[in-house]
Amino acid sequence: MVEQALRMKGLTSAIFSQVDEMRKAELAKGKDVITLSIGSPDMAPAQHIVKALVEAANDIGKYGYTLSKGVPDFLTAVANWYGQKFGVKLDPEKEVHSLIGSQEGLAHISLCLTNPGDIVLIPDPGYPIYSAGPLMAGAELYYMPLKRENDFLPDLEAIPESVLKKAKIMILNYPNNPLAAVASKDFFTKVIEYAQKYSFIVCHDFAYSDLVFDGYRPESFLSIPGAKDVGIEFNSLSKTYNMAGCRVGYIVGNAKVIELLGRLKSNFDYGIFYPLQKAAIAALTGPQQCVIDTSMKYQIRRDIIVEGLNDIGWNIDRPKASMYIWAPVPTDQSSVKFAADLLYNTGVASIPGVAFGTFGEGYIRFALVQPENRLNEAVRRIKQWIG
Ligand SMILES: *Cc1c(COP(=O)(O)O)cnc(C)c1O
């Protein structure tokens, strides 16, 4: 008889798996399903990245453990990329550390910074690992609602002082998944003031730093004065370079926090396979046209969905960044019920907003991970159904 540990109860993906079951059931019936549910990039990495991976994989001397910090050339490549792109100066030795995908770091950071009973402030709606990580560490969660009337930014003044005093971590994510919202310099400045006053660490998830549209350029949290004293940034090659399966990410920023996570990781893992680090170095140091091309494709896809649906009176905001469309449910149904109806009637699979938290109710998320012709087809079917 297997008895699950109490902490496992914090790991529920009930709605995600329920939605995916429905999608698979439709596929099994032979339906032509257009999968806009899971947020896994469908594009290929650039040729020079694949070439670097293959060449390194042919070197049989490179199959040993690499150790979790990351090879020096990788750390330097990250530091230079941050300097060039965001004007953030980083010491590759002390202020950069590799991660087996940023997900891995987000999962483990609470183990380094919280004791049982401490509070982690997380966004609602939010990416599921933001709650799973702290819960595994025995920390308590405080959900910061992200509401449209506040531009999907948390209302810092609304957080009770008693909560702020017990908070050890605040997790933020801009450009945001699932909301596709962005943050301003002023907002980050205010966050830093709060972090200094109440002594918590800001963990900014910057996974969508490069999926940006119409010339929009997001700020790195670390580019704001004082940020390095109170914060770290997680980033990843998954979305920027279409390398999600490679599991290469990194943490940058506060040296003390990085030392702690590095020490934890040196006990947990032995690093990323060398050829994958070589591929990442090629991505970060090579020509950046592939990043512009990827963004441009997402921008075209965004316009197909936003314009197509706005045409039939389904009013949807046009996001400045990310690979998602956060669409208000156009009926008075719950997001789960509407997403199910949408799937049954049109074959378009989405994620009900409530899967990302209570404040996601009233919305569904489309991931722009299908080519243009499939998105045009999705719009055509939705028009026929509700138009
Ligand atoms: C995709 C995504 C990531 C990237 O995760 P990796 O583990 O680096 O692949 C991180 N945060 C958010 C919000 C994401 O959507």
Side-chain angles (χ1 to χ4, degrees):
M1 196 47 199
V2 176
E3 204 176 310
Q4 77 169 0
L6 284 176
R7 75 174 72 79
M8 289 299 292
K9 302 208 163 121
L11 295 183
T12 49
S13 55
I15 299 174
F16 282 101
S17 25
Q18 188 190 327
V19 170
D20 209 48
E21 286 310 312
M22 291 187 335
R23 185 183 68 90
K24 283 185 192 140
E26 289 302 284
L27 276 173
K29 282 189 224 156
K31 258 242 184 99
D32 175 28
V33 174
I34 303 175
T35 302
L36 308 182
S37 41
I38 12 178
S40 183
D42 64 311
M43 296 179 215
Q47 266 309 312
H48 67 276
I49 300 173
V50 179
K51 190 162 162 267
L53 173 62
V54 170
E55 271 170 17
N58 274 321
D59 183 350
I60 54 165
K62 296 295 186 190
Y63 279 69
Y65 296 124
T66 55
L67 302 184
S68 65
K69 189 172 170 64
V71 299
D73 285 354
F74 172 74
L75 303 173
T76 306
V78 170
N80 290 343
W81 189 84
Y82 252 76
Q84 280 157 19
K85 257 198 132 106
F86 300 112
V88 175
K89 220 172 155 294
L90 294 168
D91 174 353
E93 262 294 304
K94 297 197 172 74
E95 296 177 330
V96 184
H97 200 290
S98 82
L99 297 172
I100 306 171
S102 51
Q103 177 99 353
E104 180 259 314
L106 289 161
H108 290 143
I109 192 69
S110 293
L111 292 170
C112 307
L113 297 174
T114 67
N115 289 311
D118 288 340
I119 290 180
V120 178
L121 308 165
I122 66 167
D124 178 357
Y127 195 52
I129 193 64
Y130 302 157
S131 56
L135 287 174
M136 291 299 103
E140 316 252 322
L141 300 175
Y142 178 85
Y143 294 94
M144 303 181 290
L146 305 185
K147 300 180 186 164
R148 189 165 184 268
E149 65 257 35
N150 300 326
D151 297 326
F152 295 120
L153 299 171
D155 178 359
L156 302 177
E157 271 119 56
I159 307 171
E161 179 130 41
S162 58
V163 168
L164 289 165
K165 283 183 171 157
K166 283 173 73 185
K168 290 290 160 65
I169 298 177
M170 175 186 278
I171 298 178
L172 296 171
N173 165 223
Y174 295 97
N176 186 277
N177 173 15
L179 305 168
V182 298
S184 65
K185 215 171 183 158
D186 288 350
F187 170 71
F188 282 152
T189 302
K190 204 160 143 197
V191 166
I192 292 169
E193 283 164 20
Y194 269 70
Q196 282 164 341
K197 181 163 178 202
Y198 295 102
S199 304
F200 57 77
I201 297 296
V202 180
C203 294
H204 183 234
D205 179 355
F206 205 23
Y208 296 96
S209 61
D210 291 273
L211 303 191
V212 291
F213 314 134
D214 310 319
Y216 171 73
R217 295 277 307 267
E219 308 284 345
S220 158
F221 177 73
L222 296 179
S223 71
I224 314 297
K228 251 198 229 173
D229 298 331
V230 297
I232 47 173
E233 195 152 73
F234 292 82
N235 210 331
S236 163
L237 284 84
S238 295
K239 313 291 160 57
T240 305
Y241 297 101
N242 296 309
M243 293 169 67
C246 294
R247 314 310 301 127
V248 186
Y250 52 88
I251 180 182
V252 286
N254 185 278
K256 178 67 193 166
V257 176
I258 287 177
E259 188 274 318
L260 290 172
L261 186 63
R263 187 150 30 112
L264 181 89
K265 278 174 59 60
S266 69
N267 283 269
F268 278 16
D269 69 71
Y270 289 122
I272 301 167
F273 185 39
Y274 181 77
L276 295 170
Q277 296 197 50
K278 284 298 269 190
I281 294 164
L284 293 165
T285 61
Q288 299 298 299
Q289 186 59 39
C290 58
V291 179
I292 297 167
D293 293 346
T294 296
S295 268
M296 187 48 77
K297 277 197 189 133
Y298 283 119
Q299 183 176 318
I300 293 166
R301 293 172 178 190
R302 171 201 69 172
D303 291 341
I304 290 172
I305 296 288
V306 171
E307 275 156 31
L309 299 184
N310 280 351
D311 252 9
I312 52 168
W314 185 354
N315 288 317
I316 289 170
D317 291 338
R318 187 187 300 261
K320 288 196 179 79
S322 88
M323 51 184 225
Y324 305 103
I325 301 290
W326 187 242
V329 171
T331 63
D332 55 12
Q333 294 168 295
S334 71
S335 58
V336 171
K337 186 76 181 58
F338 178 74
D341 273 6
L342 181 67
L343 176 66
Y344 293 139
N345 288 285
T346 68
V348 176
S350 62
I351 302 271
V354 74
F356 299 98
T358 316
F359 286 87
E361 187 50 275
Y363 292 85
I364 60 168
R365 190 196 75 175
F366 294 116
L368 300 170
V369 292
Q370 297 287 336
E372 288 162 44
N373 63 329
R374 296 294 282 164
L375 295 176
N376 279 318
E377 172 63 12
V379 166
R380 194 191 63 77
R381 292 188 202 169
I382 294 170
K383 275 185 180 165
Q384 209 167 44
W385 178 48
I386 56 176

